[in-house]
Amino acid sequence: MKKTPDNPILTVVKSAQPVNNTGEADKWADRRIGDYCISHSCIFFMRKGRDNKEGKINEIPTPLTHNFVALIAEQINLDDGLKQEAAFLVEGRQKNGQPLPTLTIPATQYQAMQWPLRNYGGRGIVEADQATPRRLANGILILSGDIPITTVYQHTGWRHINDQWFYLSGSGAIGAEGLNIDTRVELGEGHMQRYVLPAPAASPGQMAATLFSLLYIAPENKAVGVSLFCGVVRSVLGECLPVDFALFLSGQSGSQKSECAALALACFGDFNARRFPANFTDTESDLEHKAHQAKDAIFVVDDLAPGSSQQEANKMNTKCDRLFRGAGNQSGRGRRNADMTGKAAYFPRCMIVATGEDTPKGASLLSRMLVIEFKRGDVALSSLTSLQHLSQKGELSTIMAAFTKWLAPRMPDLKKTFPNMVHSIRDKALAGNFATSHPRAADIYASLYAAADIYIEFCHEVGAINSIRATELMETIDDALKDAIRAQGQFQKQSDEVERFIALLRGCFSAGECHVSDSMNQGPPVQHPFIWGWRTPSEGADVAGRGQLIGCVNQINGELWLDPEATFKTVQKFASSQNDPILIQKATLWKRLLERGLLTTYEVSKKSGVKRPDVKRSVTGKRVRVLIFNTNVIENVDLIVNKDIKSEHSGDD
């Protein structure tokens, strides 16, 4: 009779494919591979040890887990478009046979073996031994056998896979042959996972023309519809030419701006006005990362509202600056790990559509966006309701799926021709002299116009429209786009820091926040003292200067001399009281005043040739530096710009 071994664990044999009692494959079955084995749903390490009695070297089973076994079912290579990281899909089982939650453990966190306690709690006890984490990590890898490796994409948009172009969404990859569901795309938690396109129809036909309904959603404000339509089709072409601007839908509450933004977003998945992927309460890093994930798609950031305090307003504007400047510059915020290795610098790769009651501050920031102003009543509610019904049925996303399928085989050519097309249209726009509101206006117009032209070509080719209708649509889009671009001038002017400074300076004089004296007698100016901040305290009393004295006026020569420090402090205080401070430094502001011709005199250093905005003048017997303006800057409503400016040479650097 065969003797039973003292320790049954030693009898566990290596099995390439363990089976259960019914002969089926059983990955949880007892088995041994190398120095590691599974026995009774626990993992053991077979340690070599010397028998004290006979002096022989024996194998001593050393438990690594107390009440569970875990195996790696799959290695996942997570690809977010900027970096690739490995992760393990871990399945577990308790000693009593109950399954444990399936976990995705980043490879960088796997070796430390802290994840069993963190995720399983008392159901995943690792034996307390200094060498156990290292041994258990190796043991799980070895006992898992041949681990399949899968790439999981963590972004939407175009990727070149196996020499073909595919458009990724949560449903898989759409290529020239349709939807491939075997391509895995995981976009994380929250509403980001709603970026899902259905399988494209074999022949979209008339359905493709449905998207043109967006053009007519606001009959009295055509810029609304054209910006939404062009923004949707332009976003899909981001791989051909990165989108370096954003759309900003501005209007008071109830103007339907969020509902319209939701329609554009619904072209890419199951979205509505209560399911936006982001809002302005998200952190800067979160916004950057999600805007990077939403590659070649619409990405809505909702509800930029006026801050309840100056601090809150500043925080919101900083967030806007980082997001929109990142889109405009196509660059992210560089950071370092503790060991000084670089972190991935995420930046927007989408068409950002932001909504808010107020526009972001700063002319430079506004130049990176197309602002569309909504008024109550602009949006036709019947058209809005009809499009919302189509989005709920998934027709808008079905159209987008068909468009991406049509684009897939054309991507190699479009990556070459589309940028040239945009540049050609931009040059014509500059020659047409309608896109002069800011330097990027012509680029924005050309980018949106060219994208619309591509979509109309798609519709014509699939039989959704004829050539006559195609021409009519392009004329409608062209006219509305030009009007929208022309309208940007007002937003630029409102945010221009030079214009704001002059307007605020006038406001300071009018509100009695400051005054200037007569350069000859230091009393009230002879002409129009009220304009220069002087008031009569009571009937019959002499006039007196109100607020801070910031300089003097020489009305004979028509010159206003201002103390740079006192002036900036007064104007900044006045602006801050309105929760809208000047955002640039005073030295930069003075240089811009000089560049715009608002300073009538400047100095040129003899050594360096650098222009200095402030010049020396004698005030009350002292030589001080002042900024010299023409008095018309305050006395007249219109700014006096591009004047002849006198220069004075100075030996100072």
Side-chain angles (χ1 to χ4, degrees), residues 534-549:
W534 293 73
R535 304 288 186 274
T536 303
S538 59
E539 187 175 353
D542 295 333
V543 295
R546 297 290 301 274
Q548 176 74 35
L549 175 64

Side-chain angles (χ1 to χ4, degrees), residues 504-557:
L504 288 167
L505 182 59
R506 290 195 189 111
C508 287
F509 283 123
S510 298
E513 298 292 331
C514 65
H515 68 282
V516 293
S517 62
D518 187 275
S519 62
M520 302 298 293
N521 57 30
Q522 305 307 308
V526 177
Q527 300 177 4
H528 314 301
F530 180 87
I531 291 178
W532 302 106
W534 293 73
R535 304 288 186 274
T536 303
S538 59
E539 187 175 353
D542 295 333
V543 295
R546 297 290 301 274
Q548 176 74 35
L549 175 64
I550 63 171
C552 57
V553 59
N554 186 327
Q555 293 181 316
I556 296 175
N557 295 332

